[in-house]
Amino acid sequence: MGGGKTDPLASNILGNYIVIRHAEHEHSMLAHLQFDSIWAELGSKVTRGQKIARCGNTGNSTEPHLHFGLQSKKGFLGDGLPIHFTDICAEPYPNYAEIDPRPTETIENTDTTFITRGMIVWNDGD
């Protein structure tokens, strides 16, 4: 695991963030985390379900939220990778093209849903 720590008022677009290496070309990034809330140490291993930080609004953010992405490189500009989640529901955001004219796609099958840009997503678990 690797991460960065910045002052909440810093100009860094990511604010307080973490990058987790899952495999050689697979990294997840969590950004806009609450300042000074990262519990995992640099270089440590994290496990599913472990609390690693708190959601915040550091960096280029106006309200608390989590910027999450899976990408091919550990840096901010890595190629995006498809993400597989369980126990979620997803549907296209109504009139999304009015906000972002780039094409969107949805990949679905009977067991999983992949989330892409232009989707509304919520947890379907108990």
Side-chain angles (χ1 to χ4, degrees), residues 26-103:
E26 185 179 277
H27 300 79
S28 58
M29 182 185 57
L30 297 88
H32 307 300
L33 303 171
Q34 185 178 46
F35 181 67
D36 208 20
S37 75
I38 297 175
W39 297 304
E41 296 291 326
L42 182 63
S44 65
K45 292 187 178 195
V46 294
T47 58
R48 183 181 301 198
Q50 177 183 345
K51 292 182 182 180
I52 55 175
R54 291 180 187 252
C55 180
N57 69 326
T58 59
N60 187 13
S61 171
T62 58
E63 59 189 33
H65 73 285
L66 178 65
H67 180 119
F68 173 80
L70 189 65
Q71 54 203 40
S72 62
K73 298 178 184 175
K74 65 180 179 179
F76 181 58
L77 299 176
D79 294 329
L81 300 173
I83 304 169
H84 171 236
F85 292 96
T86 58
D87 297 326
I88 63 160
C89 294
E91 63 185 36
Y93 184 88
N95 303 315
Y96 183 76
E98 294 175 11
I99 303 167
D100 183 350
R102 296 176 296 170

Side-chain angles (χ1 to χ4, degrees), residues 4 18 24 33 37 59 62 69 88 106 108 117 121:
I18 294 174
E24 184 175 352
L33 303 171
S37 75
T62 58
I88 63 160
T106 304
E108 295 185 53
R117 179 175 69 275
V121 181

Side-chain angles (χ1 to χ4, degrees), residues 83-91 108 111-116 119-125:
I83 304 169
H84 171 236
F85 292 96
T86 58
D87 297 326
I88 63 160
C89 294
E91 63 185 36
E108 295 185 53
D111 298 324
T112 62
T113 301
F114 289 88
I115 303 168
T116 62
M119 304 291 290
I120 298 173
V121 181
W122 63 97
N123 186 301
D124 192 34

